[in-house]
Amino acid sequence: MGYSRWILVAGLGLFALPARADLAEVKASGTLRVLAVKVSPDDEFFAVPVESQPGFDREVIEGFATLHRLRMEPVVVGSWDALIPSLQQGKGDVIVGRFTATDARSKVIAFTAQTFPTRNVVLTRKPHRAVASLAELREEKVGTIRGTSMAEAVAAAGVPKANVVDTVPPGGLPGALRSGQATAVVLGLESAIVAQRDDPEIQIGLFLGQPGSLAYGVRKEDTALLEALNAYIENLRRTPSWNRLVLKYFGDRSLDILKKARE
């Protein structure tokens, strides 16, 4: 296996069937079932299927699975708002892939330690103005994806419902700017970095809310799995391997942009 895959053994929470309630049961089964939304084969976090690179989270999770001698099995879910119900129904053991830890979600499931820093940011595309205030955002036709933390941020910002376009498919927000379906979109900073890298006409504007965390989700009762995942993630974050992964998937400017977003 490659070096980066070896260092990232990312764990996924095991919840699901009563016979697989926690880490011991998952190890007995030999398979870690990972719930993720299919964004694209070249998604920077969790590619399904893998055509070139597996993605940041997929490398981490595969590293965790390898460490525990498990086979990582992706379980594709059709939408972001179906992830938690699928976890609770036992269709998978852990939620992975640009999944934001929010207060609302934390009432229902448990989150691991931070796997990647995030923050919501408003994007526009030249020659349209860069959005610099909430008042300006409320005047825009704002694209978002139903059931995501970005949609929650748009609602919290007070954007009138008549100005919200929430029918954009996963991965489609930058395209909505190019097509004119939306004049502004709200993305997690990790996605915004990639969008601007791929399209220099995209502008990063107003940050929304406080800095947050991407993390993995498990059922609250799966405490052993959560503990094992946390130990792995926290150790990885202390090594140069985490920085190497960030640079690999998000480019040379990514570490500086992430630092600025935390200020």
Side-chain angles (χ1 to χ4, degrees), residues 60-76:
V60 173
I61 282 301
E62 287 181 344
F64 175 86
T66 299
L67 180 65
H68 290 274
R69 299 186 178 182
L70 297 168
R71 181 176 68 89
M72 193 280 287
E73 177 184 313
V75 179
V76 175

Side-chain angles (χ1 to χ4, degrees), residues 18-243:
R20 294 179 58 184
D22 209 345
L23 183 59
E25 289 76 15
V26 173
K27 287 187 173 182
S29 76
T31 301
L32 180 65
R33 298 169 301 159
V34 177
L35 293 160
V37 173
K38 180 179 179 180
V39 177
S40 70
D42 59 353
D43 179 57
E44 288 80 15
F45 277 91
F46 202 93
V48 182
V50 178
E51 290 189 354
S52 55
Q53 298 188 118
F56 181 94
D57 275 339
R58 188 159 180 158
E59 288 204 37
V60 173
I61 282 301
E62 287 181 344
F64 175 86
T66 299
L67 180 65
H68 290 274
R69 299 186 178 182
L70 297 168
R71 181 176 68 89
M72 193 280 287
E73 177 184 313
V75 179
V76 175
V77 176
S79 64
W80 296 100
D81 52 2
L83 282 168
I84 290 178
S86 296
L87 179 66
Q88 294 174 318
Q89 292 162 15
K91 296 179 180 179
D93 303 314
V94 61
I95 296 172
V96 172
R98 67 173 80 234
F99 195 55
T100 305
T102 67
D103 290 341
R105 290 169 174 172
S106 295
K107 294 177 181 178
V108 186
I109 64 172
F111 281 98
T112 65
Q114 181 185 93
T115 57
F116 198 91
T118 189
R119 193 171 186 181
N120 287 314
V121 63
V122 180
L123 302 185
T124 56
R125 191 170 188 274
K126 297 175 183 177
H128 199 78
R129 68 182 178 183
V131 171
S133 69
L134 287 175
E136 290 181 358
L137 178 62
R138 292 165 187 155
E139 296 172 353
E140 302 289 342
K141 183 166 63 171
V142 182
T144 189
I145 299 172
R146 191 177 299 139
T148 66
S149 60
M150 291 97 72
E152 294 177 14
V154 170
V159 177
K161 289 185 178 180
N163 290 6
V164 176
V165 180
D166 63 358
T167 55
V168 181
L173 289 173
L177 288 177
R178 290 191 293 272
S179 69
Q181 183 182 5
T183 59
V185 301
V186 173
L187 271 178
L189 186 62
E190 65 285 350
S191 299
I193 292 170
V194 174
Q196 189 182 56
R197 181 196 67 193
D198 296 342
D199 182 356
E201 299 300 301
I202 285 180
Q203 305 167 109
I204 294 179
L206 177 71
F207 287 112
L208 291 179
Q210 298 299 311
S213 297
L214 301 184
Y216 302 152
V218 300
R219 294 192 308 185
K220 285 183 178 289
E221 59 265 35
D222 292 337
T223 55
L225 176 61
L226 180 65
E227 182 178 352
L229 285 167
N230 280 339
Y232 180 78
I233 293 166
E234 289 167 358
N235 182 67
L236 178 63
R237 291 292 302 267
R238 288 192 292 265
T239 71
S241 302
W242 187 85
N243 281 356

